[in-house]
Amino acid sequence: MRFRQVHLDFHTSEAIGDIGQRFSKKQFQDMLKLGHVDSITVFSKCHHGWAYHPSEANEIHPNLSFDLLRAQIEAAHEIGVKTPVYLSAGLDEKLARRHPEWLIRDKQERTNWASDFMEPGYHQFCMNTPYLEMLAAQVREVAERYDADGIFLDIVGVRECYCQSCVAEIRKRGSDPRNTTDMQQLWEETYLKYGAAMEEAVHALKPDLPLFHNNGHIRRGRRDLAALNTHLELESLPTGGWGYDHFPLSARYAQGLGMEVLGMTGKFHQSWGEFGGFKHPNALRYEAALSLANGAGCSVGDQLHPLGEMDPATYALIGEAYAEVEAKEEWCRETVSVADIALVSAEAAAADFADQTLNLKAIAAADTGAVRILLEGHYLFDVVDLESDWLRYKVVILPDCIGITPELHGKLNEFTAKGGKILATGRSGMLPDESAFALKLGAKWLGASSFNPTYTRPDFELPALRLASFIVYADAYEIDLAPGDRLLGNRQNPYFNRDLFTFSSHRHAPSDLQDAGAGITEGADGIYAAWNLFADYAEYGSLPVKQILLHLLDRLLESAAGERTLRVDLPAQGVATLQEQPAANRRVLHLLYAPPVRRGKDTEVIEDLPLVKSTDVRLAEQYPVRELYLAPERQSLPFVQENGQIRFTVPEWSCHQMVVIEF
């Protein structure tokens, strides 16, 4: 897989003339060279539905007079640049107006993305209609006629749909569209039918051609959906609403699936479809480095002007980041992560509890908050599902809302029998019927607290604060300490919940300073905290909540393994990962630092890359080290290896520094 890719959009209305009239092979090639690009995804079909080449399966854009797709492929191949080909699969606006009966509908017959045809926007197609055959013919035509280096199909996934094709199909099966379970099964089957059709269209002719279906999100725990792809492209534009926490969460799961992975960001100030928007070069440098640090290649989104001329400012911007990637690739290929902690994704493993169906917002908050804690604590971690091998980790985290099914219980028992430890918060650790804890975490379940917010008073002092009663806004739960186990902190209640006749001060009543029961407990299997602490951190970013969780994780790591693999003196916004290259007999430590700031209403921006002072590192390592050096500089670093540890200091650095440990 190429490491320096560009994903080139070209969603171009028929209301614009002279399509591609300024395309120049030389200018196209010059921009790719300026950007240090080694692969560019070019386009067969856009969201408007038009083809950018002569077509029997589709219609060429009415204002395009030549084969733009072939011209781009030939120009790129001439200079050694690969060309995967893009087709808009889920959207085709010209066809939407001709066949609105093929569109996805909700129960009220409304369409999506645009809710009707009286507003500008696209409308998504249902693959349980004749549209699927038309799309397959378009894909097959590209695979047959063009020297594509891959196929990228966009806007697809398991979709809710109540179009008349789906209603007729479910009734034909003897069911009813009001039966949500049966409809869900139909939607799953529709996507698998689509996947099989695309597999045949591409791989019947070219079995080794890369194929990717983009849904904007790789669903954790759905390895069956990931397996429809030959590789993964993790769409994550920090400024486009994803934020800078999203990619590490996605990548730390994807790397463990054993597939090649690309991290896809954009050159835009905000998101897709923006002309004339640019992020700071430092942001793109950091985002590319973050991909490398997580075992992924890089892809940067761009959008071609309708006239077909590549934008020099864009490729100068991309080139600043990709020149650095090019120099670093040697230490970033064929890597596996080194990690102490397995975060069991709530998205992958959350179970239905007796009192409610899955709360998708709570699940997302649990995963997001946990990743933030692990990043800011500079822990080595992976995000895992129920099929992952947990035995190589020291600590497993069950964040907030994971019920212990029999399958999960078996994996956890095997893990703890080997000496591993568990951190569970909130409702995690309980049987799905919420009758009792399934794990030995020092707690006896009583029920949900009637108070919100509540307070925690740990039995240990936090590094930045003295002992106090600390507010927790997330849901709390009532527990007793199990006999013979250890209490690590108590729960306290406010005087009363805020209500019409019982309110005090501006927000909530203070703690009544009375112990209301156990709050944090420790048993043979690990530690339990009786609040949705990870969701609380995702929503509020509380310093006490963070430092409580860091203390509990350090305690568990010490109990399971004696120490963490990595200790590093980084600012809170710093990121540390450790990747191993088994074939080269070396490990590569990645250190990153960039402080995002909020600009405008809700855009996270990286502009400044402050120098990071010399950074002290302590790495647990039993194998004798032959050499330790900075990459790509190849500057040797002095180090001391004794008592199972390597100690060294990284001199002043900025943005991204790799340290190579060769054995």
Side-chain angles (χ1 to χ4, degrees):
M1 185 181 68
R2 298 290 176 92
F3 262 50
R4 291 169 278 119
Q5 301 199 26
V6 162
H7 185 95
L8 190 63
D9 266 6
F10 198 57
H11 304 299
T12 308
S13 168
E14 62 277 8
I16 298 177
D18 298 326
I19 302 303
Q21 288 304 300
R22 291 190 185 175
F23 175 80
S24 155
K25 180 175 82 168
K26 183 179 185 305
Q27 199 263 351
F28 187 74
Q29 292 174 335
D30 287 346
M31 293 302 101
L32 296 179
K33 293 175 183 176
L34 177 64
H36 292 257
V37 176
D38 60 10
S39 178
I40 182 166
T41 301
V42 291
F43 31 86
S44 162
K45 175 192 174 187
C46 72
H47 290 344
H48 292 272
W50 301 112
Y52 294 89
H53 53 88
S55 175
E56 296 173 12
N58 197 1
E59 300 170 44
I60 192 170
H61 194 290
N63 300 317
L64 177 64
S65 61
F66 67 102
D67 191 334
L68 179 57
L69 175 60
R70 190 174 302 279
Q72 290 176 320
I73 291 175
E74 291 177 353
H77 283 180
E78 192 174 282
I79 59 171
V81 175
K82 286 190 174 183
T83 54
V85 174
Y86 172 101
L87 294 95
S88 178
L91 306 176
D92 185 323
E93 195 57 23
K94 68 168 167 45
L95 198 61
R97 292 184 175 271
R98 299 174 190 174
H99 289 284
E101 71 277 13
W102 295 351
L103 299 175
I104 288 175
R105 304 277 176 167
D106 66 11
K107 291 180 179 179
Q108 288 73 43
E109 278 290 312
R110 293 172 299 203
T111 58
N112 73 18
W113 296 2
S115 60
D116 55 43
F117 284 95
M118 298 306 292
E119 62 175 280
Y122 305 113
H123 302 81
Q124 191 172 190
F125 276 85
C126 175
M127 297 297 177
N128 190 30
T129 67
Y131 173 70
L132 178 59
E133 297 175 14
M134 297 183 68
L135 175 64
Q138 294 167 358
V139 173
R140 189 177 301 111
E141 181 179 71
V142 171
E144 290 175 346
R145 296 185 180 182
Y146 291 89
D147 187 15
D149 293 306
I151 298 293
F152 185 107
L153 299 172
D154 203 10
I155 320 299
V156 289
V158 179
R159 301 287 194 254
E160 290 189 13
C161 183
Y162 292 89
C163 76
Q164 293 309 306
S165 292
C166 289
V167 169
E169 174 63 25
I170 206 70
R171 295 191 68 196
K172 180 181 175 182
R173 299 180 181 190
S175 187
D176 188 301
R178 290 165 290 192
N179 185 322
T180 304
T181 300
D182 287 355
M183 289 300 289
Q184 182 67 44
Q185 180 63 33
L186 173 62
W187 301 330
E188 294 272 348
E189 291 176 8
T190 296
Y191 185 58
L192 292 178
K193 179 182 174 183
Y194 151 84
M198 297 305 108
E199 170 74 17
E200 190 280 332
V202 174
H203 290 148
L205 180 65
K206 297 181 178 178
D208 297 326
L209 199 65
L211 173 62
F212 179 68
H213 308 273
N214 186 41
N215 188 30
H217 175 64
I218 304 300
R219 289 176 62 181
R220 295 179 290 280
R222 292 301 306 269
R223 293 185 178 219
D224 57 332
L225 300 183
L228 296 178
N229 306 286
T230 59
H231 66 287
L232 299 177
E233 302 194 26
L234 309 181
E235 186 179 1
S236 184
L237 282 63
T239 56
W242 282 261
Y244 278 95
D245 291 328
H246 177 268
F247 179 75
L249 170 58
S250 187
R252 293 289 2 103
Y253 175 67
Q255 191 185 14
L257 297 181
M259 304 172 73
E260 289 189 308
V261 178
L262 273 179
M264 181 189 289
T265 184
K267 71 96 178 183
F268 316 103
H269 171 60
Q270 291 192 318
S271 195
W272 298 109
E274 178 184 64
F275 287 104
F278 297 85
K279 62 179 43 163
H280 196 282
N282 284 341
L284 208 54
R285 290 174 58 209
Y286 176 78
E287 291 159 21
L290 193 61
S291 283
L292 298 181
N294 284 280
C298 307
S299 176
V300 176
D302 181 27
Q303 183 164 226
L304 185 66
H305 190 277
L307 294 177
E309 186 174 33
M310 302 276 271
D311 179 53
T314 292
Y315 288 86
L317 167 66
I318 293 172
E320 289 200 37
Y322 275 2
E324 296 182 8
V325 172
E326 188 172 14
K328 297 171 181 176
E329 285 182 33
E330 175 184 344
W331 296 276
C332 300
R333 292 191 174 278
E334 299 178 350
T335 60
V336 294
S337 72
V338 179
D340 290 334
I341 295 173
L343 167 62
V344 181
S345 168
E347 180 183 61
D352 289 308
F353 288 99
D355 66 339
Q356 65 177 31
T357 56
L358 290 177
N359 183 333
L360 297 182
K361 183 178 179 181
I363 288 168
D367 280 350
T368 298
V371 166
R372 284 183 186 172
I373 288 291
L374 292 167
L375 288 171
E376 292 178 17
H378 309 131
Y379 295 101
L380 300 178
F381 72 97
D382 290 334
V383 179
V384 301
D385 60 21
L386 298 186
E387 295 182 52
S388 304
D389 176 12
W390 297 358
L391 297 182
R392 68 189 188 95
Y393 302 102
K394 301 167 184 175
V395 171
V396 162
I397 297 176
L398 304 176
D400 292 356
C401 53
I402 298 179
I404 308 302
T405 62
E407 177 188 15
L408 181 52
H409 200 183
K411 283 187 72 78
L412 290 168
N413 283 341
E414 183 183 17
F415 173 73
T416 55
K418 298 286 187 179
K421 295 294 182 180
I422 297 166
L423 173 62
T425 57
R427 304 168 85 190
S428 290
M430 288 191 299
L431 298 169
D433 65 3
E434 298 184 81
S435 60
F437 282 100
L439 305 170
K440 300 173 184 176
L441 300 172
K444 292 175 61 178
W445 178 254
L446 298 178
S449 172
S450 61
F451 289 96
N452 186 277
T454 57
Y455 296 82
T456 178
R457 189 175 179 90
D459 286 354
F460 46 87
E461 192 166 306
L462 305 185
L465 300 163
R466 299 197 177 186
L467 289 176
S469 301
F470 300 112
I471 186 78
V472 181
Y473 291 100
D475 289 344
Y477 304 93
E478 297 187 0
I479 59 171
D480 274 341
L481 179 67
D485 288 323
R486 182 164 184 172
L487 182 69
L488 299 179
N490 287 294
R491 176 178 48 83
Q492 295 180 353
N493 293 326
Y495 283 98
F496 38 69
N497 286 330
R498 192 173 181 87
D499 201 0
L500 180 60
F501 300 111
T502 54
F503 70 91
S504 181
S505 190
H506 299 291
R507 298 195 62 179
H508 49 258
S511 169
D512 63 11
L513 302 181
Q514 302 298 311
D515 288 342
I520 306 172
T521 60
E522 184 175 27
D525 291 342
I527 292 174
Y528 172 75
W531 294 268
N532 292 337
L533 291 182
F534 292 111
D536 190 274
Y537 196 68
E539 183 71 17
Y540 302 103
S542 161
L543 175 63
V545 167
K546 171 182 173 177
Q547 294 197 342
I548 288 169
L549 286 167
L550 297 185
H551 176 90
L552 300 181
L553 284 169
D554 284 345
R555 182 182 180 90
L556 289 172
L557 284 169
E558 183 178 345
S559 174
E563 62 177 329
R564 314 165 44 152
T565 296
L566 174 69
R567 291 190 180 275
V568 58
D569 179 25
L570 279 179
Q573 288 293 136
V575 173
T577 70
L578 186 61
Q579 298 286 337
E580 186 166 5
Q581 289 182 297
N585 198 28
R586 65 190 177 203
R587 288 181 170 180
V588 182
L589 174 66
H590 295 261
L591 304 176
L592 301 96
Y593 178 63
V597 296
R598 190 172 296 275
R599 296 276 172 81
K601 184 179 179 182
D602 57 3
T603 303
E604 289 187 27
V605 171
I606 286 175
E607 185 170 346
D608 298 319
L609 292 175
L611 287 173
V612 181
K613 66 177 183 177
S614 57
T615 306
D616 293 330
V617 178
R618 196 168 74 197
L619 196 62
E621 186 56 72
Q622 298 294 333
Y623 291 103
V625 174
R626 178 175 63 85
E627 185 180 7
L628 192 147
Y629 59 91
L630 302 179
E633 303 93 323
R634 296 184 183 270
Q635 174 188 337
S636 292
L637 280 186
F639 66 94
V640 174
Q641 184 172 20
E642 58 185 9
N643 301 323
Q645 288 189 341
I646 309 168
R647 297 195 308 276
F648 57 92
T649 298
V650 181
E652 190 174 69
W653 56 278
S654 175
C655 186
H656 179 216
Q657 181 63 67
M658 298 189 299
V659 182
V660 181
I661 303 104
E662 295 200 349
F663 301 101

